[in-house]
Amino acid sequence: MQLDMTKGRPLPVILKFTIPLIIGNVFQQLYNMVDTIIVGRYVGADALAAVGSTGTIMFLLTGFSQGITAGFSILISQRYGAKDENGVKRAVANGIFLSIFFTLLLTVMNTPKNIFDDAYSYIMIITAGIVANIFYNLLSAYLRAVGNSKVPLFFLVFSACLNVILDLFFIIRLHMGVSGAAWATNLAQAISA
C-alpha cells in the first residue's frame, strides 16, 4: 500500500496521500467529542462540564503527540527514499526511544487542582494512557513516511468506533462515569496502536 510519491503527476499523488490524513484528523478529534456527548447524556451536567473542561488539554496532548511523531517520520522518509535500510532502522529505533521519553514526560505532568474532581480524574487517566496516543501516532507516521496513509486511517476509524462502543459499555453498563470514558479512550487508542 506504499505510494511512490516521486512518480506521476504531483497533484493527484499528493491528494491520494493527503485525503486519508485529513479524514484521520477528523477521527482523531472524535475521541474527546464522543466522551463529552456520552458522558453528558448518561452521567449528568457536572460530568459533562468535567470532561468538557479537559478538551483543551486533550487537544494539546493530541497535537503534541502528532507533532513529535510526524517529526520523527522525516528522517524515515528520507532514508527510505535513499534506499538506506540501516538508516530507516536507526530512525525507527530513535523515534521509539524519544516517544518513550516524551510519554514519561507527559505522564508526570499535573493538572491544576482547582478544576472539578471528575475533570482531574478524567485527565489523569487520559494522561496515564498517553503512551497509546503517542505510539499510534508514531507508528502511523512511520507508515506515512513510506507513502502509506491509508492503513493508519483504517486503524483510526476502527479505534474511533471502538471508543464509542467502549464508552457506552463502561458508562451505561458498568456505571464508571467519567473514568469509564477515559478508560474507553485509552483502551481504544492502545488497540489502534
Side-chain angles (χ1 to χ4, degrees):
M1 291 190 113
Q2 279 82 357
L3 175 64
D4 187 345
M5 297 183 70
T6 62
K7 292 185 172 86
R9 292 184 16 235
L11 184 59
V13 170
I14 290 171
L15 286 176
K16 188 174 180 181
F17 182 78
T18 305
I19 289 173
L21 297 178
I22 294 167
I23 295 168
N25 282 335
V26 170
F27 275 91
Q28 190 83 42
Q29 297 309 314
L30 281 179
Y31 281 104
N32 188 253
M33 189 172 80
V34 166
D35 288 352
T36 302
I37 292 168
I38 293 174
V39 164
R41 172 84 169 95
Y42 295 102
V43 182
D46 287 345
L48 172 63
V51 173
S53 71
T54 64
T56 304
I57 297 169
M58 283 287 296
F59 184 75
L60 172 71
L61 291 174
T62 300
F64 183 78
S65 298
Q66 288 175 330
I68 64 168
T69 57
F72 297 151
S73 70
I74 294 169
L75 284 175
I76 294 168
S77 61
Q78 289 173 336
R79 302 299 186 267
Y80 183 78
K83 310 267 190 264
D84 178 5
E85 189 175 322
N86 288 330
V88 170
K89 289 177 183 179
R90 279 192 312 275
V92 166
N94 287 334
I96 291 170
F97 173 74
L98 289 171
S99 291
I100 291 169
F101 171 76
F102 283 115
T103 296
L104 295 173
L105 180 68
L106 289 174
T107 301
V108 299
M109 285 176 60
N110 209 352
T111 304
K113 293 190 180 202
N114 63 340
I115 62 174
F116 297 101
D117 288 340
D118 280 343
Y120 184 79
S121 173
Y122 180 83
I123 201 62
M124 293 312 291
I125 293 169
I126 291 294
T127 303
I130 195 69
V131 65
N133 188 322
I134 286 178
F135 274 90
Y136 162 77
N137 283 295
L138 177 68
L139 298 172
S140 295
Y142 287 167
L143 288 170
R144 286 189 296 267
V146 297
N148 187 338
S149 61
K150 290 182 182 175
V151 169
L153 174 62
F154 296 147
F155 275 96
L156 184 57
V157 170
F158 169 77
S159 179
C161 294
L162 180 61
N163 183 50
V164 172
I165 294 166
L166 292 174
D167 270 349
L168 293 169
F169 178 72
F170 288 158
I171 293 169
I172 297 171
R173 192 81 165 139
L174 300 181
H175 307 286
M176 292 176 67
V178 171
S179 296
W183 284 115
T185 296
N186 286 348
L187 184 56
Q189 287 181 339
I191 290 169
S192 176

